[in-house]
């Protein structure tokens, strides 16, 4: 896919990797629909950076815990821009909870935001993406492949993203490709102490934390290639093989 002039919807684009991917797409030539819920200031920053790259950016607020709102989001983007070519399902919640502290609200929020929203966004986007030979890239996580005892809702929902990616790749072929990127130690939680970050570096074969651009370039690779679908690409510095 030639990205110049394409329209991309990025969920969770007001902060962290969602913001980095949205800005990266703008710099690659895309017009960007910047989705956010609570991160209004961050979404404005994202939009400004996309515009500084010479592309159009518009903000779209939606609560991804509301399936109907998620389902309607791609229609709103397509109505505003006149088309939709790319969906990046980036929005997610990562909350540290010990097993016996996990509440029903914690569990429901993780399922709704990390997994269900990706499905309903894809469902809403599919008619538009079929018309343009579009693409979906989901953000999985290294947590999909290994157990993190203090982050079980994240483990379960990101493992679900792997199966969702493979299922959508099958269901939406041949018009739409669906892939995922699984970042490793790129954006550790903000509250992690320095010693925890140092331990991550020491146990990563490439002996460094990843940079956001490592993930952005992986997303761009999957968007540029028209003969890859159903693939999950780890961007983890080799942690899966350590």
């Amino acid at each position: 896919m030639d990205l110049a002039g394409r329209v991309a919807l990025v969920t969770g684009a007001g902060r962290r990797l969602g913001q980095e991917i949205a800005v990266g797409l703008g710099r690659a030539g895309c017009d960007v629909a910047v989705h956010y819920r609570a991160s209004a200031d961050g979404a404005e920053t994202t939009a400004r950076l996309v515009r500084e790259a010479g592309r159009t950016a518009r903000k779209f607020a939606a609560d991804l815990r509301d399936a109907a709102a998620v389902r309607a989001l791609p229609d709103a983007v397509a109505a505003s821009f006149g088309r939709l070519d790319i969906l990046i399902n980036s929005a997610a919640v990562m909350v540290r909870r010990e097993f016996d502290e996990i509440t029903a609200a914690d569990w429901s929020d993780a399922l709704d935001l990390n997994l269900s929203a990706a499905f309903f966004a894809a469902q809403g986007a599919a008619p538009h993406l079929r018309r343009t030979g579009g693409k979906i890239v989901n953000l999985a996580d290294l947590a999909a492949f290994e157990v993190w005892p203090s982050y079980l809702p994240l483990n379960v929902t990101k493992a679900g993203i792997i199966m969702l990616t493979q299922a959508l790749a099958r269901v939406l072929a041949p018009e739409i490709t669906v892939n995922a990127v699984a970042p490793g130690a790129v954006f550790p939680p903000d509250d992690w102490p320095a010693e925890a970050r140092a331990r991550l570096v020491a146990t990563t074969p490439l002996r460094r934390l990843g940079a956001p651009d490592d993930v952005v370039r992986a997303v761009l690779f999957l968007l540029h290639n028209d003969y890859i679908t159903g693939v999950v690409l780890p961007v983890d510095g080799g942690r899966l093989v350590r």
Side-chain angles (χ1 to χ4, degrees):
M1 174 184 279
D2 180 0
L3 298 184
R6 300 285 188 168
V7 174
L9 165 59
V10 183
T11 67
R15 59 193 300 269
R16 294 174 66 87
L17 279 178
Q19 183 175 66
E20 298 285 346
I21 293 167
V23 173
L25 288 172
R27 290 172 178 163
C30 292
D31 295 329
V32 182
V34 178
H35 162 264
Y36 70 99
R37 183 178 68 89
S39 302
D41 290 343
E44 180 56 39
T45 298
T46 304
R48 174 178 57 79
L49 292 172
V50 172
R51 291 174 189 136
E52 288 176 359
R55 305 306 309 179
T56 300
R58 295 173 189 152
K59 296 179 295 178
F60 295 80
D63 186 344
L64 299 189
R65 294 171 297 184
D66 180 345
V70 182
R71 181 70 172 71
L73 182 59
D75 288 338
V77 172
S80 178
F81 284 91
R83 62 186 295 157
L84 178 61
D85 303 277
I86 296 164
L87 169 64
I88 309 292
N89 282 311
S90 174
V93 62
M94 179 180 182
V95 179
R96 182 184 178 91
R97 293 282 190 277
E98 300 307 319
F99 168 70
D100 55 1
E101 297 173 345
I102 297 170
T103 67
D106 293 331
W107 192 259
S108 294
D109 279 351
L111 285 173
D112 289 344
L113 289 168
N114 296 5
L115 184 55
S116 297
F119 172 80
F120 288 112
Q123 191 180 60
H128 306 288
L129 299 180
R130 284 192 178 103
R131 284 193 287 271
T132 62
K135 297 180 182 293
I136 297 173
V137 178
N138 297 319
L139 266 289
D141 196 286
L142 196 62
F145 303 101
E146 57 186 25
V147 175
W148 298 354
S150 298
Y151 295 90
L152 294 185
L154 182 71
N155 284 139
V156 171
T157 53
K158 290 301 186 178
I161 284 289
I162 301 299
M163 178 52 69
L164 179 64
T165 298
Q166 295 171 342
L168 291 178
R170 176 76 176 270
V171 169
L172 298 178
E175 297 93 347
I176 303 167
T177 66
V178 186
N179 295 290
V181 172
V186 174
F187 259 132
D190 295 334
D191 59 353
W192 274 31
E195 58 268 24
R197 293 170 183 261
R199 190 163 54 250
L200 267 181
V201 171
T203 55
T204 297
L206 294 187
R207 292 296 187 271
R208 69 173 178 88
L209 297 182
D213 192 54
D214 295 321
V215 178
V216 173
R217 284 186 280 120
V219 171
L220 293 175
F221 165 74
L222 293 173
L223 294 176
H224 282 300
N225 196 304
D226 294 326
Y227 202 60
I228 297 177
T229 196
V231 163
V232 179
L233 177 59
V235 183
D236 68 347
R239 290 188 64 82
L240 278 178
V241 297
R242 72 189 188 277

